[in-house]
Amino acid sequence: MSNTSTTTSGGAKTSGEYENNPFFVATNGLDLLFKRAQSIGILTAVIAGLSALSSLPSAFVPAETNEPTQSTVSSNAGEIPTIPAEIWLTIILIVLVLLVVFSFIGIVVRGVLDYTAAKLARGEGATISEAFRAVFSNFWSYTWVLVIVSVKTFLWSLLFVVPGIIMSVRYSLAGVAYFDKQLKGDASVQHSSALVKNAWLTTFASQNLLNLITLGIIQPLLTPGTNGILYRQLSAAGEVKPKAHFLSWLTLILPIILFGLIILGVVLLGFALANYSQTV
């Protein structure tokens, strides 16, 4: 761990401490969340639990096998079902309504997380009611920040995958900057990019190390505290940041290696099946 701050006479480190170990950034963030924003910590734990339940393997649910008989198949052969235009319009309307509802919920939840991170970065606490009031009173301007982040990340991704990933990390504190400094639109995005510059790997690993270990289940629980600590220490560090910890490199490289091994396994399996089919 690198330390850019002084130490008091009692040996306690000041808030200028820079932690570059992503594991400690995340765990310290969890500790900070439940100390200063316990109600939001409980809310995010519930969200994480519901996410875990929704991702249970479908194998645990007995599948219904309603296979059509031969006579049914033969009787329906050649028949093309016609769906009235009214049904198509109804389906499209339902889909659009669901998209709007889920988008609204996603923006509100992310806003609560970003607002909490901003308060934690200041060393302050936050409550659920306070966070929801802040998000709803700034809903459209905060949504515009997210739109700018999405568009910019998409444009960088068109160049190649790697620039898109790097810039998405550099933009990841834009919502925190919005609630901390009330920066509008692109100013929040630019402030986040400037903060994370020269520390994107530490930021990426701090946000994703424990998420990788838990397969992303506890991401809502980790986000407020982790981003709060990152925002605070990056703001205090200035342009020169300590080098990334080896765990940060491991967090970046290990998924690439695993993905490569999976691709290699699929290719080898394909060759094996092809050779088997030729010998049979």
Side-chain angles (χ1 to χ4, degrees):
M1 177 183 69
S2 300
N3 194 341
T4 60
S5 66
T6 58
T7 304
T8 64
S9 58
K13 294 172 183 174
T14 64
S15 59
E17 178 182 347
Y18 189 103
E19 177 63 74
N20 68 341
N21 186 322
F23 179 81
F24 289 128
V25 173
T27 53
N28 290 343
L30 279 174
D31 181 64
L32 181 63
L33 174 64
F34 280 97
K35 280 183 177 178
R36 296 191 177 272
Q38 188 177 38
S39 60
I40 296 178
I42 295 172
L43 174 64
T44 54
V46 171
I47 294 175
L50 293 176
S51 175
L53 289 176
S54 65
S55 62
L56 287 176
S58 58
F60 290 102
V61 181
E64 295 182 3
T65 56
N66 296 324
E67 297 182 358
T69 60
Q70 184 65 31
S71 58
T72 304
V73 173
S74 59
S75 62
N76 293 333
E79 296 183 5
I80 301 176
T82 57
I83 301 177
E86 294 81 0
I87 295 180
W88 279 115
L89 291 175
T90 302
I91 294 174
I92 293 173
L93 181 62
I94 292 174
V95 171
L96 290 176
V97 170
L98 290 176
L99 286 175
V100 170
V101 170
F102 285 124
S103 297
F104 174 79
I105 294 174
I107 292 171
V108 171
V109 171
R110 182 166 177 177
V112 168
L113 301 183
D114 283 340
Y115 175 82
T116 305
K119 296 289 283 186
L120 294 177
R122 297 179 191 172
E124 302 174 2
T127 63
I128 293 178
S129 58
E130 177 189 349
F132 275 106
R133 281 198 304 270
V135 173
F136 287 132
S137 61
N138 297 277
F139 182 81
W140 293 113
S141 54
Y142 174 72
T143 301
W144 181 239
V145 173
L146 299 184
V147 169
I148 294 175
V149 169
S150 299
V151 171
K152 285 196 168 190
T153 303
F154 172 74
L155 293 177
W156 278 105
S157 299
L158 292 178
L159 296 178
F160 200 63
V161 176
V162 174
I165 294 175
I166 293 175
M167 297 311 297
S168 68
V169 175
R170 290 185 60 176
Y171 298 151
S172 63
L173 299 181
V176 186
Y178 170 82
F179 285 111
D180 178 57
K181 296 183 175 296
Q182 289 298 306
L183 298 174
K184 303 298 182 181
D186 191 54
S188 296
V189 182
Q190 293 299 328
H191 185 65
S192 172
S193 180
L195 283 180
V196 183
K197 184 180 179 181
N198 300 325
W200 78 268
L201 184 54
T202 297
T203 303
F204 169 81
S206 299
Q207 294 171 339
N208 291 283
L209 176 59
L210 293 187
N211 280 328
L212 290 174
I213 295 174
T214 61
L215 301 179
I217 293 175
I218 64 172
Q219 181 176 0
L221 184 60
L222 292 171
T223 299
T226 300
N227 284 352
I229 289 181
L230 287 169
Y231 186 85
R232 179 180 64 196
Q233 69 180 25
L234 291 174
S235 298
E239 294 186 3
V240 180
K241 283 95 173 180
K243 293 182 179 180
H245 194 272
F246 83 92
L247 278 180
S248 297
W249 288 103
L250 186 63
T251 305
L252 176 67
I253 295 172
L254 188 58
I256 298 176
I257 295 175
L258 292 177
F259 180 75
L261 291 175
I262 291 173
I263 296 297
L264 179 62
V266 171
V267 172
L268 293 177
L269 180 61
F271 278 118
L273 292 176
N275 292 333
Y276 176 78
S277 61
Q278 291 176 358
T279 56
V280 173

